[in-house]
Amino acid sequence: MKSTNRRPGEGLPYPYLINAVLALLGGSQTLRLRFWSRHPRHSAEKTLRDILTLSRDTVYGKEHHFDVILSATTAEDLFRLYQLYVPANDFEALRPYVERHKNGEKDILFPGKPDMYATTSGTTSEPKWVPMTHKYLKDVYGKMSHIWTWNFVKHRNKIFGGHIFPIVGKEVEGYAPDGTLFGSVSGVLVRDIPSIIKKHYTAPACVMSIGDYTARNYTLMLMAIQYKDVTLWATANPSTILELMRTVDEHLNEMIADIERGEISEAFHIEPEIREELKPYLKANPARANELRTLLQQKPDGKLLPKDYWPHLQYLSTWKCGNTKIYMEKYMDAFDWNETFYQELGYIATECRFGFSLDDTNESVLFPHMHYYEFVEESEIQSPHKHFLQINELEIGKRYCAYVTTYSGLFRYNMNDLIEVGGKYKNTPTIHMVSKVNGIVSLTGEKLYETQFIDAVHAAEKTTGLKTKFFVGFADISESKYHFYFEFVNEEITQEEADLLAAEVDKELMKINMEYDSKRASFRLHEPEAHILMSNAYSRFKAACLRDGFRDGQFKFNLLMQDEARRGKFKLIERILDSRTKFGDRIAEVAERLDERIDEGRERRAARQAERQERRNERQQKRKERNAQRNKNNK
């Protein structure tokens, strides 16, 4: 990090009114969080009673005897009866109840109907439709947001003195059969944010509705870099940061020209109604355009970084845990960390806002007065007889699978995430994400962890000197082997070199995982196969998924999977490159065969000529012999 005597935010105006409002709203909610975090077990009991009382007269509540559970007089009995009468759930177990809500029925999982549905991919071909009730959006999501934004101010008190650049999903993606909207929870919250803050946004929400992925990224960054005073950049995925930085690299001159004219280039396909809606948000700004040109002239490599075009950036908020840190590490030199506070976004999923970070660590603070949490130790994840632990029973340094009960109708819902306890906030454990539980792959009993695969690739890179930009592994049960897909920094890497890297990854996995070593030694697990991906493989894959209806916030993407649908997308990317190689090989093969035919023809002609010459020699010899005989007879 470079040293500087400048104080963070120097030169930005102090937003007195916004900070005062956030202090009032966020400060009061922070006090409540501190109080209930001092008493996590009591908080858990109170929250569970509140949720069950709310839903006791619903279809689900009656079927699962909420009234009997609520008759418990102690916390121990309440938790025991809840586990007795309500099974641990995944979404497929709750889907029939959600379907009834979607088709207009009330009082199924919770009183009334949901305000909206948050959609995300499920374990089947059908997406999850996660219901969001008015109470959950207002009293949980909304109040947690007050704490979150107030927390920004506590770390950088001039953060709202400039423009803010949040990247969220589409507010409305469609409607359920009964007319209830479905879309992004973050989009809805941005829609409902107070105008005093919303006016600081770099662009309106309609940008996220641009259908063309390249055009959307271009517009997002164009609308943002027209401002020098961007102070907050928030997006779930570090990979999105990389993609948007690359968009600037590839189109900076076009952006500068658009900023100078105050318009968006017609080279990008943007729906006419959205282009019209964006016009008021982009004004001709020759001064800013000249400033960017001057900065660009000072760069020998011809690239501008966020620390160049946003020198006052106060806050960057993304996921930093699990496999996302692979992408995060690629842009650490692009920001001025003396100016910018980098914060873990927190343990946030489509299903619920489980918790988020309040400091500069990766630990997420839980909200025991807003969710009811249960946990299963890592060693028991696959056990049919799990022991469910309460929030106060977690141990620092241990890993667990997380379950949650919410005010939106998720009861004992398996988040399918492996989390680790890192410390405590007051008396309540804090956690951070490690990986998806389904990031554990096992073809023949090897139980290979995603984190082990990531470590093995990094170790193999050091051994071979081959550097990757992206990699992903897929388990192939039909062939009992793993397929490793690599995108290399050097695009001239040969298949032989890729095979070498895969072999080194294989060796590292045998060192890391004794079961993997055993299965490889016994030939139950075959040698992994290496594949070379085209450049920007992850972006190509992500763009394909977005065209299929996914959203950015859903890309807590596993780097080790047993998923033929996703592998198919990477096979396509690899096959395009492979087809070029095969085409070249085919040309070489045809040329070789042609050369062989030419050589064969030459050999045949030479043989025929030799045969003719031999016959001529024989005839000449016979003539000589006849002549000699005649001469002898004449004498």
Side-chain angles (χ1 to χ4, degrees):
M1 297 182 184
K2 68 180 183 181
S3 60
T4 178
N5 294 322
R6 191 181 71 187
R7 299 175 63 182
E10 187 175 327
L12 291 169
Y14 189 88
Y16 290 98
L17 180 58
I18 294 178
N19 286 3
V21 171
L22 293 177
L24 179 64
L25 296 175
S28 61
Q29 293 302 323
T30 301
L31 291 175
R32 289 188 66 225
L33 172 63
R34 290 174 180 171
F35 174 81
W36 290 111
S37 295
R38 292 189 180 96
H39 313 283
R41 187 172 180 82
H42 177 57
S43 299
E45 179 188 7
K46 177 184 178 301
T47 303
L48 181 57
R49 285 190 185 277
D50 285 348
I51 293 173
L52 297 182
T53 300
L54 179 71
S55 296
R56 70 190 301 169
D57 294 324
T58 64
V59 170
Y60 192 90
K62 291 175 181 178
E63 288 180 359
H64 293 84
H65 310 288
F66 283 10
D67 55 345
V68 177
I69 301 169
L70 287 166
S71 68
T73 57
T74 65
E76 289 75 11
D77 281 345
L78 180 72
F79 301 148
R80 178 181 59 81
L81 290 174
Y82 188 49
Q83 293 178 19
L84 176 65
Y85 286 110
V86 180
N89 288 305
D90 60 13
F91 190 80
E92 294 310 310
L94 296 173
R95 188 184 293 278
Y97 300 95
V98 175
E99 288 296 316
R100 293 177 66 176
H101 273 302
K102 283 171 57 181
N103 285 285
E105 291 190 56
K106 298 180 180 179
D107 307 330
I108 306 300
L109 285 167
F110 38 77
K113 294 167 59 178
D115 274 16
M116 67 166 293
Y117 295 95
T119 52
T120 185
S121 59
T123 56
T124 68
S125 58
E126 287 293 319
K128 299 176 186 176
W129 288 62
V130 181
M132 292 288 160
T133 63
H134 182 76
K135 180 174 179 61
Y136 189 79
L137 290 173
K138 179 182 177 182
D139 292 341
V140 177
Y141 239 101
K143 291 178 179 178
M144 288 176 75
S145 293
H146 293 158
I147 297 174
W148 195 43
T149 49
W150 170 233
N151 184 62
F152 289 165
V153 174
K154 288 192 292 182
H155 291 292
R156 292 289 188 271
N157 60 17
K158 293 186 177 182
I159 189 170
F160 293 106
H163 285 82
I164 53 182
F165 183 25
I167 301 175
V168 299
K170 290 169 63 176
E171 169 197 337
V172 179
E173 295 186 351
Y175 296 89
D178 70 339
T180 304
L181 73 86
F182 68 86
S184 163
V185 177
S186 58
V188 170
L189 291 175
V190 166
R191 177 199 66 187
D192 296 336
I193 204 165
S195 59
I196 192 175
I197 294 178
K198 190 184 294 186
K199 70 179 183 180
H200 289 259
Y201 281 25
T202 57
C206 67
V207 173
M208 301 308 295
S209 296
I210 296 174
D212 182 82
Y213 189 59
T214 301
R216 191 194 69 179
N217 281 353
Y218 179 86
T219 306
L220 277 170
M221 288 308 286
L222 170 65
M223 305 294 281
I225 70 167
Q226 68 175 320
Y227 300 109
K228 181 179 180 178
D229 66 344
V230 169
T231 52
L232 167 63
W233 194 1
T235 183
N237 267 295
S239 63
T240 302
I241 302 285
L242 287 174
E243 289 174 46
L244 294 178
M245 285 172 55
R246 183 166 54 245
T247 297
V248 174
D249 291 343
E250 294 174 353
H251 301 288
L252 182 56
N253 288 324
E254 292 167 89
M255 289 182 179
I256 292 174
D258 279 352
I259 290 170
E260 189 168 47
R261 296 191 304 266
E263 59 186 37
I264 305 174
S265 170
E266 293 291 339
F268 296 92
H269 176 67
I270 300 173
E271 292 79 354
E273 64 277 10
I274 297 178
R275 189 179 285 274
E276 189 66 26
E277 189 174 346
L278 291 174
K279 284 183 178 179
Y281 294 89
L282 189 64
K283 302 292 185 183
N285 192 342
R288 176 60 172 165
N290 288 331
E291 183 178 39
L292 291 171
R293 285 195 187 99
T294 301
L295 287 171
L296 188 58
Q297 290 169 0
Q298 298 169 359
K299 294 288 184 176
D301 60 358
K303 292 184 178 181
L304 292 184
L305 300 173
K307 61 185 177 185
D308 300 317
Y309 41 83
W310 296 324
H312 301 298
L313 187 67
Q314 299 291 281
Y315 228 93
L316 180 66
S317 183
T318 69
W319 283 320
K320 297 162 66 177
C321 295
N323 57 44
T324 59
K325 61 186 177 184
I326 291 176
Y327 311 107
M328 176 191 80
E329 291 167 355
K330 297 181 186 300
Y331 56 66
M332 293 304 291
D333 293 335
F335 295 86
D336 177 3
W337 300 118
N338 292 301
E339 182 80 14
T340 305
F341 188 88
Y342 191 12
Q343 189 170 65
E344 158 68 27
L345 186 68
Y347 186 17
I348 298 173
T350 301
E351 290 86 350
C352 72
R353 201 169 192 173
F354 209 90
F356 52 74
S357 179
L358 296 178
D359 55 23
D360 59 355
T361 71
N362 290 346
E363 303 304 321
S364 287
V365 173
L366 302 182
F367 287 69
H369 58 305
M370 294 183 177
H371 302 91
Y372 172 65
Y373 306 105
E374 295 174 273
F375 302 88
V376 172
E377 282 194 27
E378 180 181 18
S379 60
E380 293 189 9
I381 287 175
Q382 304 299 330
S383 171
H385 306 293
K386 298 176 176 64
H387 293 87
F388 287 86
L389 304 175
Q390 302 304 315
I391 191 171
N392 60 296
E393 297 177 306
L394 303 188
E395 298 180 42
I396 293 175
K398 282 194 172 184
R399 293 180 174 183
Y400 305 86
C401 181
Y403 293 72
V404 69
T405 296
T406 74
Y407 284 97
S408 268
L410 299 183
F411 298 101
R412 307 197 70 207
Y413 183 83
N414 183 359
M415 296 293 293
N416 203 33
D417 291 328
L418 188 66
I419 57 94
E420 182 175 310
V421 178
K424 288 192 174 183
Y425 178 79
K426 309 309 174 185
N427 295 322
T428 298
T430 61
I431 65 168
H432 63 266
M433 172 80 165
V434 176
S435 68
K436 297 296 291 183
V437 169
N438 61 11
I440 305 172
V441 176
S442 187
L443 291 177
T444 62
E446 70 275 15
K447 295 185 179 66
L448 185 61
Y449 284 68
E450 179 185 39
T451 50
Q452 293 174 336
F453 173 60
I454 293 170
D455 290 342
V457 174
H458 287 326
E461 285 179 314
K462 291 179 182 178
T463 302
T464 62
L466 300 171
K467 299 298 182 184
T468 65
K469 295 172 72 175
F470 172 77
F471 57 86
V472 63
F474 289 94
D476 186 343
I477 194 168
S478 65
E479 297 185 23
S480 191
K481 69 178 180 182
Y482 287 83
H483 293 267
F484 300 154
Y485 290 80
F486 302 115
E487 178 189 348
F488 291 95
V489 173
N490 178 4
E491 296 183 4
E492 302 300 320
I493 290 293
T494 64
Q495 184 62 48
E496 288 74 17
E497 291 172 304
D499 292 339
L500 174 63
L501 182 62
E504 286 299 323
V505 173
D506 189 35
K507 291 178 185 177
E508 292 295 333
L509 289 174
M510 286 188 269
K511 294 178 189 176
I512 295 170
N513 186 313
M514 61 183 297
E515 291 295 337
Y516 182 93
D517 184 32
S518 171
K519 303 305 184 290
R520 286 284 286 114
S522 64
F523 303 108
R524 283 175 283 176
L525 198 60
H526 301 152
E527 183 179 355
E529 184 176 339
H531 305 265
I532 301 175
L533 293 168
M534 296 180 72
S535 61
N536 300 332
Y538 180 81
S539 295
R540 295 173 189 269
F541 166 77
K542 188 173 179 181
C545 290
L546 290 175
R547 287 194 295 270
D548 289 344
F550 287 80
R551 293 195 301 271
D552 274 350
Q554 295 171 6
F555 279 82
K556 292 167 286 187
F557 170 94
N558 290 94
L559 293 178
L560 182 66
M561 294 176 277
Q562 185 175 331
D563 186 331
E564 283 301 306
R566 291 196 175 193
R567 185 185 164 212
K569 288 184 170 61
F570 283 106
K571 285 168 69 176
L572 178 63
I573 296 169
E574 182 252 345
R575 190 179 301 123
I576 294 171
L577 178 62
D578 193 45
S579 65
R580 293 175 182 170
T581 304
K582 288 180 178 178
F583 181 70
D585 291 344
R586 178 62 178 165
I587 293 174
E589 182 182 346
V590 171
E592 184 177 352
R593 288 181 181 177
L594 183 60
D595 287 340
E596 288 174 356
R597 290 175 181 175
I598 292 171
D599 290 340
E600 288 171 0
R602 287 172 179 170
E603 290 173 359
R604 286 194 297 270
R605 287 195 297 273
R608 286 194 297 269
Q609 288 174 355
E611 289 173 359
R612 287 195 294 269
Q613 184 62 46
E614 186 177 354
R615 287 194 295 270
R616 283 196 295 268
N617 292 338
E618 288 176 356
R619 287 194 297 270
Q620 289 174 358
Q621 182 63 31
K622 287 178 180 179
R623 280 196 298 270
K624 287 179 181 179
E625 290 174 355
R626 285 195 298 269
N627 291 334
Q629 186 63 41
R630 263 191 225 105
N631 292 332
K632 184 178 178 181
N633 292 336
N634 291 332
K635 291 177 179 180

